Amino acid sequence: MGVRLMVVDDHRLLAEALASALKLRGHRVLAAAAPAAGAAELVITRAPEVCLLGTAAPAEPGIFDPVVRIKRERPSVAVLVLGPVPSPRGIAAAFAAGASGYVRHDERIEGVERAIMKARAGEAAVAPQLLQGAFSELLNPAVQPDDEGQRLLQMLTPREVEVLVRVADGEDTRLIAAGMGIAPSTARTHVQRVLMKLGVGSRLEAAALAARTGLLDRAGAVTRVPPGARGGSDAGEGSR
């Protein structure tokens, strides 16, 4: 017995080709629609048994929001995500949103049909090779770049970034003040603000944190002012 289906994908040709192939195999395809942004409304209105929902970026934040809405308003609809080879995070995000399975764009029609039948039966539909790849990556994760440095950098003003770089270079308050053309009291205030924002208790800790997180490398865009030069917005503070 055929399955009442919907195929929704941003690539209209792909959606129509898949819909035609499924019709030839005896399934009732309700619609082949694009773009995927309107998928949720269409699926909720037509209420198929299974929806094939295409995506080109399974790891993109919010990409599975339509799945969440469909499952909330039409929990009886099984949603199969149709997309490229996903990362373990992409597979996890799809299932967390309520998807019944994940099918690769280049899967043979027989594989797509098997996934559809499993989804309609309430089973998880993921190709074994995808699960093997996911488990392999989860067990042997690639080292991810540490974004803590970027997060910390966004907490500081450009002026405070320059102060931190100078602190990491070992400059004391007098040298910081002279190098930035500001009063020592202003330099001390900047240093204290940097320590407070970074959540550390000393200059040494601030320098170590900046080096460990790569903050100093990210701060390379900050223009270093040669010692003795006057600072921009703080010009004139040194005479106070």
Side-chain angles (χ1 to χ4, degrees):
M1 182 178 176
V3 180
R4 288 188 301 110
L5 298 168
M6 288 189 66
V7 180
V8 184
D9 196 287
D10 282 333
H11 295 85
R12 183 175 292 277
L13 288 178
L14 174 63
E16 292 178 350
L18 182 54
S20 296
L22 290 170
K23 285 179 181 178
L24 290 175
R25 300 179 77 87
H27 300 290
R28 180 185 174 192
V29 183
L30 301 181
E41 192 67 39
L42 191 59
V43 173
I44 291 167
T45 300
R46 304 297 295 273
E49 292 178 275
V50 179
C51 171
L52 282 165
L53 178 65
T55 177
E60 184 177 321
I63 197 69
F64 297 122
D65 286 351
V67 180
V68 174
R69 185 182 171 199
I70 291 168
K71 296 304 294 183
R72 182 177 65 244
E73 300 191 30
R74 290 285 187 181
S76 62
V77 176
V79 180
L80 282 175
V81 175
L82 183 68
V85 177
S87 66
R89 184 175 299 178
I91 292 179
F95 277 95
S100 298
Y102 194 104
V103 182
R104 283 175 47 168
H105 271 140
D106 58 356
E107 180 63 75
R108 295 173 63 89
I109 190 63
E110 294 84 3
V112 175
E113 189 172 37
R114 282 194 297 270
I116 289 171
M117 302 308 291
K118 282 187 174 182
R120 185 175 69 167
E123 301 175 23
V126 184
Q129 60 268 30
L130 285 183
L131 285 180
Q132 290 170 5
F135 280 125
S136 176
E137 188 171 332
L138 289 172
L139 292 173
N140 303 284
V143 176
Q144 297 296 318
D146 187 0
D147 63 352
E148 186 180 2
Q150 180 63 31
R151 180 182 64 81
L152 294 174
L153 188 63
Q154 291 175 347
M155 296 168 57
L156 305 176
T157 67
R159 203 67 163 158
E160 290 165 350
V161 172
E162 182 179 353
V163 169
L164 177 59
V165 172
R166 290 179 180 274
V167 167
D169 284 345
E171 294 185 10
D172 58 18
T173 300
R174 180 182 58 81
L175 287 175
I176 293 173
M180 297 180 67
I182 58 179
S185 60
T186 303
R188 278 193 294 273
T189 298
H190 282 317
V191 171
Q192 289 304 313
R193 286 177 180 169
V194 169
L195 299 184
M196 179 182 67
K197 288 185 177 182
L198 296 183
V200 296
S202 69
R203 299 183 184 208
L204 183 60
E205 288 181 81
L209 178 63
R212 177 175 61 80
T213 61
L215 193 156
L216 293 178
D217 295 332
R218 295 174 181 271
V222 176
T223 303
R224 293 296 304 276
V225 183
R230 305 296 293 180
S233 62
D234 290 331
E237 291 181 359
S239 62
R240 292 180 185 176

